[in-house]
Amino acid sequence: MACLRRRKHCVQPQQRVSIPVLIVLANQVPHRCFLSQPIMIFRFFCPFFILFFTPIASVQAFTGTYGINYGRIANNIPSPDEVVTLLRAAKIRNVRIYDADHSVLKAFSGTGLDIVVGLPNGQLQDMSSNADHALNWVKENVQSFLPDTRIRGIAVGNEVLGGGDYSLWGVLLGAVKNIYNATKKLNLDQLVQISTANSFAVFVDSYPPSSCKFSDSVNQYMKPLLEFFQQIGSPFCLNAYPFLAYASDPEHIDINYALFQPTKGIYDPMYRLHYDNMLDAQIDAAYAALENAGFNKMEVIVTETGWASNGDESEAGANETNARTYNYNLRKRLAKKKGTPHRPKNVVKAYIFALFNENSKPGHLSERNYGLFKADGSISYDIGFHGLNAGDSSLLSLKNINTQGLSRSYTMVFSLSSMILLIFWIVAMALAHGTEGEEHVVGGGAGWIISPAGASFYSSFAANNTFRLNDTLVFNFKTGAHNVVTLSKKDFETCNVNDIMESFNTGPARITLNRSGDFYFACAFPSHCILGQKLRVHVTASLAPAEAPSPAVSRHSRATTVTLPLVLIAAAINVLHIGAEKEPSNRGNLVHKTNI
């Protein structure tokens, strides 16, 4: 059985991508939030309603477990702005692209989406031989878009080792080092992760998983690369395709095993483990190769995986049914947030390939049919996502509810209910005012680092911000490279980090300023405090005197905020009662039409 034995990757290098996302469609508010002419006035409140349901982003390298590759080798796909809308509607936050296209990076500005940009293979030689060019590339394509565009990684090349262009094998490490050194020089190394994606062509003997190792031809280039990645805390990135493995040997591979369907699976006698799906086995094969090379603690992240919905006659299994089954089951598997049989504590994270069908890709027909979405933004098949068009939703769109038979009274009740939720949110915000704090990211986009500017870097940060009771400080740093400790004033001034009050060793660290007065923070790693990695903040009262409401105003506000929602609830019940009396015959139509 050769279910994992793919000696070469069956796709062209530099043809794949990924990214992440969140939320609702603000630019479509006027015609989607509310429905009929009698309630046009409520449309004014729709942006606030959306704000209520919008999650707040947090800074992480990979949020959750699900991401997507946004490839653009096509001439008919939606614009980057439309892609942002699509990703937010699908609540996909993690995204990878294969270049650093400025129109994409501008479109992602302020969206909260985390993006990994790519340095194409064609630029590796230049970046490896010229550190200044690498520095300029990072300045132009990464630093200039931070912090508004959340660039969280740079993928240096794609499927270089094991690929057909042998001239790139020897320059990959140099390019990786120069790009990393550029981020370090620009104080971005704690924020932007450096990596490169590998195909299964770098392995030999991948069945069973425990026997996998790097091929001899690749090993001389792979080992120093992994040593550097281990030094800077980068993962091993793997492009894993059960589809390609199955298509190469359909007679000996159970398709249910490749599709996460019920099957007897395989047994690895060395690990004494059972595998019920091929993706887990492929990931553990990569872990086995890393362990064999001496890198037992390196994490594996799947940077590409997917299934083609169409293909050449020679590409077994390339059809819409299998593509839907694989991607639907993969989404469920990732949602469980669990590891593999061999590494149960390492939660599997994967970027799906791909966002769109790309009509300009060369190669097999399958290469143009990996997309979860078609070029017009509609879904390729249903795995729970909604396309740009309302008709793609498996749920009734609000816009069409009236045409489906809803009476005006029910429409009014729906709208009033929405307004009630909005009012309750306003009440909550009003009651929380003065107790809910603001968030301050220490060091801004640079994070918690040793700054070339020394201690003045953080003293300037403190001077330019106002800190109030219950505000939160966010210290972004790489675990193992820095930490955060709280000190007394005396120890802070002398950088004595031996008598700490509290320690935070995992980044990012979030610290609530729960009292007024002075707080003293530093990094306890050797010499870091002396080199200026220290911060003093002064916390004032939660509200400035001019902002504090008088007791009379406060009592009146509380009475109003409690009474108004009750009035609206009563109005909604009254409308429902009137509608039930006047239009009893519409109930049958409503039930019938919503069940279609």
Side-chain angles (χ1 to χ4, degrees):
M1 189 173 182
C3 65
L4 295 177
R5 200 168 293 153
R6 271 181 54 252
R7 300 301 177 105
K8 52 185 179 181
H9 205 223
C10 303
V11 295
Q12 296 291 329
Q14 295 179 265
Q15 291 184 6
R16 308 221 157 149
V17 190
S18 335
I19 292 190
V21 209
L22 299 157
I23 325 310
V24 188
L25 316 177
N27 62 339
Q28 297 183 5
V29 164
H31 64 282
R32 292 189 185 255
C33 279
F34 299 101
L35 311 171
S36 57
Q37 293 297 328
I39 54 171
M40 287 285 291
I41 189 171
F42 292 137
R43 291 180 178 175
F44 170 79
F45 295 99
C46 199
F48 303 101
F49 195 59
I50 285 176
L51 178 63
F52 172 56
F53 287 107
T54 302
I56 298 174
S58 62
V59 178
Q60 295 181 21
F62 193 122
T63 303
T65 59
Y66 195 93
I68 202 156
N69 287 279
Y70 171 23
R72 305 187 320 283
I73 305 178
N75 58 17
N76 59 352
I77 59 176
S79 69
D81 288 326
E82 292 174 309
V83 169
V84 167
T85 297
L86 184 66
L87 291 171
R88 283 181 155 185
K91 298 183 180 179
I92 302 174
R93 177 169 174 174
N94 303 285
V95 186
R96 286 170 54 90
I97 60 176
Y98 294 97
D99 54 19
D101 184 88
H102 287 195
S103 66
V104 174
L105 297 180
K106 288 177 183 176
F108 276 64
S109 176
T111 63
L113 305 180
D114 291 342
I115 184 168
V116 175
V117 299
L119 176 70
N121 288 2
Q123 295 183 255
L124 293 179
Q125 181 71 57
D126 181 37
M127 297 299 151
S128 177
S129 61
N130 196 315
D132 288 338
H133 288 185
L135 180 63
N136 290 334
W137 190 92
V138 174
K139 283 181 178 179
E140 294 171 8
N141 298 292
V142 178
Q143 185 186 45
S144 62
F145 291 94
L146 292 170
D148 293 338
T149 301
R150 294 166 59 95
I151 300 174
R152 294 295 176 256
I154 302 172
V156 181
N158 186 52
E159 298 181 348
V160 175
L161 299 183
D165 190 344
Y166 300 106
S167 66
L168 298 180
W169 292 23
V171 301
L172 176 60
L173 179 58
V176 166
K177 286 184 174 181
N178 281 344
I179 291 294
Y180 172 76
N181 290 335
T183 63
K184 192 170 185 178
K185 189 171 186 178
L186 298 171
N187 294 318
L188 302 176
D189 57 308
Q190 303 296 315
L191 183 68
V192 180
Q193 188 177 72
I194 310 301
S195 64
T196 188
N198 300 278
S199 76
F200 248 73
V202 301
F203 303 128
V204 293
D205 300 328
S206 58
Y207 177 82
S210 60
S211 66
C212 188
K213 59 184 179 181
F214 293 110
S215 69
D216 291 337
S217 61
V218 165
N219 198 47
Q220 60 177 314
Y221 301 99
M222 181 66 76
K223 193 162 185 179
L225 180 66
L226 295 177
E227 287 172 349
F228 184 69
F229 280 158
Q230 182 171 261
Q231 177 186 337
I232 65 175
S234 292
F236 180 84
C237 294
L238 175 68
N239 294 345
Y241 286 91
F243 161 66
L244 295 177
Y246 172 78
S248 69
D249 193 8
E251 293 183 5
H252 298 97
I253 299 175
D254 180 3
I255 193 168
N256 291 318
Y257 177 60
L259 293 174
F260 302 95
Q261 296 285 70
T263 178
K264 66 178 182 180
I266 68 165
Y267 179 74
D268 188 320
M270 182 175 291
Y271 281 162
R272 297 183 180 180
L273 293 172
H274 174 262
Y275 290 87
D276 59 12
N277 72 83
M278 189 187 295
L279 183 64
D280 279 1
Q282 289 182 329
I283 295 170
D284 275 353
Y287 276 122
L290 288 169
E291 291 165 5
N292 185 62
F295 301 93
N296 296 352
K297 296 183 179 180
M298 187 168 289
E299 180 185 16
V300 174
I301 291 180
V302 178
T303 38
E304 288 184 18
T305 189
W307 198 286
S309 60
N310 197 4
D312 299 329
E313 290 185 7
S314 61
E315 296 181 291
N319 59 61
E320 185 174 306
T321 299
N322 288 340
R324 181 195 177 279
T325 301
Y326 181 81
N327 283 298
Y328 178 76
N329 287 336
L330 173 61
R331 192 180 178 200
K332 288 199 304 181
R333 190 257 180 268
L334 294 174
K336 293 178 182 178
K337 297 183 178 180
K338 68 175 187 177
T340 58
H342 181 53
R343 291 291 185 91
K345 294 183 179 180
N346 289 16
V347 175
V348 174
K349 304 171 184 177
Y351 290 91
I352 313 309
F353 187 81
L355 188 58
F356 296 112
N357 288 333
E358 298 170 74
N359 67 342
S360 299
K361 272 195 168 184
H364 291 291
L365 179 60
S366 62
E367 283 297 319
R368 297 179 285 283
N369 288 279
Y370 276 94
L372 299 183
F373 297 89
K374 298 177 182 178
D376 63 359
S378 63
I379 57 175
S380 296
Y381 38 80
D382 186 9
I383 63 169
F385 293 136
H386 303 159
L388 287 175
N389 301 318
D392 287 323
S393 175
S394 59
L395 304 173
L396 289 175
S397 68
L398 299 182
K399 178 181 179 183
N400 296 325
I401 289 181
N402 270 339
T403 63
Q404 299 265 347
L406 264 182
S407 66
R408 288 187 179 182
S409 62
Y410 285 100
T411 299
M412 181 66 81
V413 170
F414 177 86
S415 302
L416 285 175
S417 299
S418 300
M419 277 299 300
I420 290 168
L421 288 174
L422 172 63
I423 294 299
F424 273 124
W425 174 70
I426 294 174
V427 172
M429 293 301 100
L431 294 179
H433 187 62
T435 62
E436 188 174 290
E438 185 179 345
E439 186 174 279
H440 305 273
V441 179
V442 176
W448 181 237
I449 61 170
I450 299 175
S451 171
S456 63
F457 178 73
Y458 292 108
S459 60
S460 297
F461 166 80
N464 292 328
N465 287 273
T466 300
F467 306 96
R468 303 189 186 283
L469 190 64
N470 291 329
D471 281 3
T472 299
L473 296 182
V474 180
F475 293 80
N476 288 322
F477 60 90
K478 187 177 296 183
T479 303
H482 302 283
N483 67 0
V484 184
V485 298
T486 57
L487 302 171
S488 67
K489 180 181 180 181
K490 179 180 178 181
D491 290 337
F492 175 83
E493 291 174 347
T494 60
C495 278
N496 175 20
V497 293
N498 296 317
D499 189 17
I500 63 176
M501 301 167 64
E502 196 170 4
S503 178
F504 304 85
N505 297 312
T506 302
R510 302 174 62 87
I511 302 175
T512 301
L513 304 174
N514 54 9
R515 60 172 174 81
S516 59
D518 291 333
F519 285 77
Y520 300 93
F521 304 99
C523 178
F525 277 53
S527 302
H528 285 206
C529 179
I530 295 173
L531 292 173
Q533 196 174 1
K534 55 192 293 190
L535 170 69
R536 170 195 171 275
V537 299
H538 179 74
V539 179
T540 62
S542 60
L543 286 176
E547 296 173 319
S550 69
V553 172
S554 179
R555 285 194 298 270
H556 176 73
S557 299
R558 289 175 182 266
T560 301
T561 53
V562 171
T563 303
L564 185 55
L566 296 178
V567 172
L568 287 176
I569 292 172
I573 294 173
N574 185 54
V575 171
L576 178 60
H577 177 69
I578 293 172
E581 289 182 345
K582 290 186 176 182
E583 299 178 285
S585 62
N586 282 344
R587 291 176 182 262
N589 291 335
L590 174 63
V591 173
H592 172 71
K593 290 182 180 294
T594 54
N595 285 336
I596 291 177

